Amino acid sequence: GAVVSQHPSWVICKSGTSVKIECRSLDFQATTMFWYRQFPKQSLMLMATSNEGSKATYEQGVEKDKFLINHASLTLSTLTVTSAHPEDSSFYICSASEGAAYEQYFGPGTRLTVT
Amino acid sequence: KNQVEQSPQSLIILEGKNCTLQCNYTVSPFSNLRWYKQDTGRGPVSLTIMTFSENTKSNGRYTATLDADTKQSSLHITASQLSDSASYICVVPLSGGYNKLIFGAGTRLAVHP
């Protein structure tokens, strides 16, 4: 149980384009989903927290207009990187939770490369 | 300041050998501490969860210890295998909930044949 998937597992896009990453909870309803970014040899950094049906809460320094998060259902959240630039190249990981009092389960990650 | 510090930063051992990874935390209030294994290019996978009242917990060849008084935890890997090569991350939830996780920087373990 508690499986979280991400799609795609890797993506290459050109600078200036937008790319969407999906995060799905496969066997439970995720009231809350989280998006993390991880640069090489660094730990995960929380970008934003989203509750189903509500606007996402972004961490300080994360541009909400650049990283659009939608959590329209209890099993799906999407992260759209708009007007991507090479510095956005990173490993993006989502996690899902049944609520604030419940454990986060991590997805397998999406490797984004912006050329 | 709520922090999680891990040591060593990296470690190389020979296959079959044991090793111990360390984690010190200053997160308060404390409810639990987690160890995750993260393979290269993959998301973190939970190994153990230690609550305040637990001193030792095993998961196969992984044994975690917790000293809530000194705010230290360790992860001991027995009879290492090549597949143990990964980053091991110590994580402590903030304020007793799970909405905010404090991550350690991880220990990168390489097991050589």
Side-chain angles (χ1 to χ4, degrees), chain B residues 81-93:
Chain B
Q81 300 176 359
L82 298 179
S83 59
D84 292 332
S85 296
S87 286
Y88 291 84
I89 306 172
C90 179
V91 180
V92 180

Side-chain angles (χ1 to χ4, degrees), chain A residues 32 34 36 38 41 43-44 46 59 91 93 100-104 106-108, chain B residues 34 36 38 41-44 46 49 89 97-101 103-105 108:
Chain A
T32 308
F34 307 83
Y36 296 85
Q38 186 177 31
K41 297 186 178 182
S43 197
L44 283 71
L46 180 65
E59 295 297 300
F91 192 53
I93 302 173
Y102 296 87
E103 182 172 357
Q104 290 185 35
F106 290 90
Chain B
R34 295 129 182 277
Y36 288 88
Q38 185 179 22
R42 304 291 293 175
S46 180
I49 302 173
I89 306 172
Y98 295 92
N99 268 0
K100 186 77 171 183
L101 301 179
F103 290 84
R108 298 174 65 86

Side-chain angles (χ1 to χ4, degrees), chain A residues 3-7 22-28 30 33 35 73-78 94 96 107:
Chain A
V3 178
V4 177
S5 69
Q6 284 185 238
H7 178 80
E22 292 185 350
C23 176
R24 294 182 184 272
S25 58
L26 300 185
D27 51 4
F28 67 99
M33 286 185 166
W35 286 96
S73 79
L74 287 172
T75 58
L76 173 65
S77 176
T78 60
C94 75

Side-chain angles (χ1 to χ4, degrees), chain B residues 13-28:
Chain B
I13 61 174
L14 294 177
E15 186 179 12
K17 297 296 185 182
N18 304 335
C19 67
T20 300
L21 314 180
Q22 302 289 345
C23 174
N24 296 335
Y25 62 92
T26 58
V27 180
S28 182

